[in-house]
Amino acid sequence: MECPHLSSSVCIVPDSAKFPNGSPSSWCCSVCRSNKSPWVCLTCSSVHCGRYVNGHAKKHYEDAQISLTNHKKTEKQEKVQHTVCMDCSSYSTYCYRCDDFVVNDTKLGLVQKVREHLQNLENSAFTADRHRKRKLLENSSLNSKLLKVNGSTTALCATGLRNLGNTCFMNAILQSLSNIQQFCCYFKELPAVELRNGKTAGRRTYHTRSQGDNNVSLVEEFRKTLCALWQGSQTAFSPESLFYVVWKIMPNFRGYQQQDAHEFMRYLLDHLHLELQGGFNGVSRSVILQENSSLSASNKCCINGASTVVTAIFGGILQNEVNCLICGTESRKFDPFLDLSLDIPSQFRNKRSKNQENGPLCSLRDCLRSFTDLEELDETELYMCHKCKKKQKSTKKFWIQKLPKVLCLHLKRFHWTAYLRNKVDTYVEFPLRGLDMKCYLLEPENSGPESCLYDLAAVVVHHGSGVGSGHYTAYATHEGRWFHFNDSTVTLTDEETVVKAKAYILFYVERQARSGSEKL
């Protein structure tokens, strides 16, 4: 947004400002000394932590406003407001009075000068520290990330994703997809494509909407991001290049407003699917898919053309069955899907926590049953009966004709009212292992004993009250251990914590038969 407060709040000049030593992305909060999510005030150059750490940057702004109201304002004090700050990792600018990210600049271009100065400090610190880190990693590659698990020391290879300005919705989805091994491994094994000029390769850049050309590849930047997430060589990776490509090809996600993680996931999978249907370094990606013996033809579900790894893993088929209540005519239609959106039944909507006593506990099975139960369509959804030759009352029922390898379940927590979009904050109980989907199948007798069982791989959680606000994090399992991904922070967690989460999106992976005769 265009901020009207820059002229009164941006006062520092980079050359004379007293910045801390070291790289800006590692600066510590002047209050709590945390180096997570540092923000620099563009009025006084003080550094504080972001609102999702301890919130001292916002408190700095609030304290400045209290000081102005409690003391007699001088002409100088009226100009100094401490309302605008800059993220020291992504260089995005935020105004607390506007409560939004800022895209404009002062007449003298001070915001861009500060941004360039921070970039230069970051690059200088990176260059000076690069050789020392490389030598350290060569000598002891496992010492960079160690933690205690059950009394023994083990390597923690997980990498966080830096928040580029309300991009937690993207980070949560990327971390979840990176822990779906069948999906992640396919992209990591694709051949690399170098799209950037040799002079700019590897350099951290700040992209604007008008920057760059149209020669961008979502598949390539997605591949690079997945490769960076489990190398263990850094604590956090900045997905700037991927976010830039998202801006180029998905206009709905331009800017720094909070977005819906489920909507982003659908756009991401759809665009990956479309791009994979084209060529890759002169080789058709459909050929690559066919040559990969682990993706058999029977597992493919075509959506909008040829099959890709997206439809081979996430693709399933629904049967939509509609019956006319007047003449009994039955209509069947088969619809492919990449995920299922489930309503939380209305009788459970006041149940906000697992331990709350009033009312029954809502389970994932309740949501699935509500999705597949026979439903009588209301007056606004009358069915055009071809036998009666007019719209009639009817019933509708969904069956699952084909289950996917990875079952993605979206709980519909956001609902539009007359004026705003409300959140359903109900706790929904979900299993970590053994989700049985057999009773929802059209032909369950044709399914194997374990082909309908699913184990949880990842969970996306929305914290807050509305879709346009709040914060997204993710839980995911990797090599038998559960991790909590909160932007650049990754922590080891346990199953008890995971099952208490108010899930928004659940990723279940099909349990493989013990014989191992068919593997994805």
Side-chain angles (χ1 to χ4, degrees), residues 421-453:
R421 202 176 185 186
N422 289 330
K423 181 181 177 182
V424 178
D425 205 28
T426 303
Y427 170 77
V428 178
E429 189 176 41
F430 54 90
L432 292 180
R433 301 176 191 85
L435 174 65
D436 192 350
M437 296 295 293
K438 194 168 187 176
C439 60
Y440 310 108
L441 281 179
L442 181 63
E443 299 175 343
E445 66 276 3
N446 296 333
S447 304
E450 285 196 336
S451 61
C452 300
L453 293 179

Side-chain angles (χ1 to χ4, degrees), residues 304-322:
N304 298 328
S307 175
T308 67
V309 68
V310 175
T311 53
I313 290 179
F314 290 95
I317 299 175
L318 280 176
Q319 177 182 287
N320 185 357
E321 186 176 291
V322 180

Side-chain angles (χ1 to χ4, degrees), residues 8-27:
S8 60
S9 297
V10 182
C11 305
I12 62 174
V13 179
D15 295 337
S16 60
K18 295 181 180 179
F19 292 112
N21 295 324
S23 61
S25 62
S26 301
W27 284 348

Side-chain angles (χ1 to χ4, degrees), residues 109-128:
L110 290 179
V111 174
Q112 183 60 23
K113 288 180 180 179
V114 173
R115 180 178 292 124
E116 291 174 351
H117 186 69
L118 295 186
Q119 285 180 310
N120 290 334
L121 291 176
E122 185 76 24
N123 291 332
S124 299
F126 174 77
T127 302

Side-chain angles (χ1 to χ4, degrees), residues 269-278 285 303-304 308 310:
L269 292 179
D270 288 344
H271 280 82
L272 287 172
H273 172 65
L274 292 173
E275 191 174 321
L276 285 166
Q277 288 178 327
R285 290 173 174 105
I303 298 175
N304 298 328
T308 67
V310 175

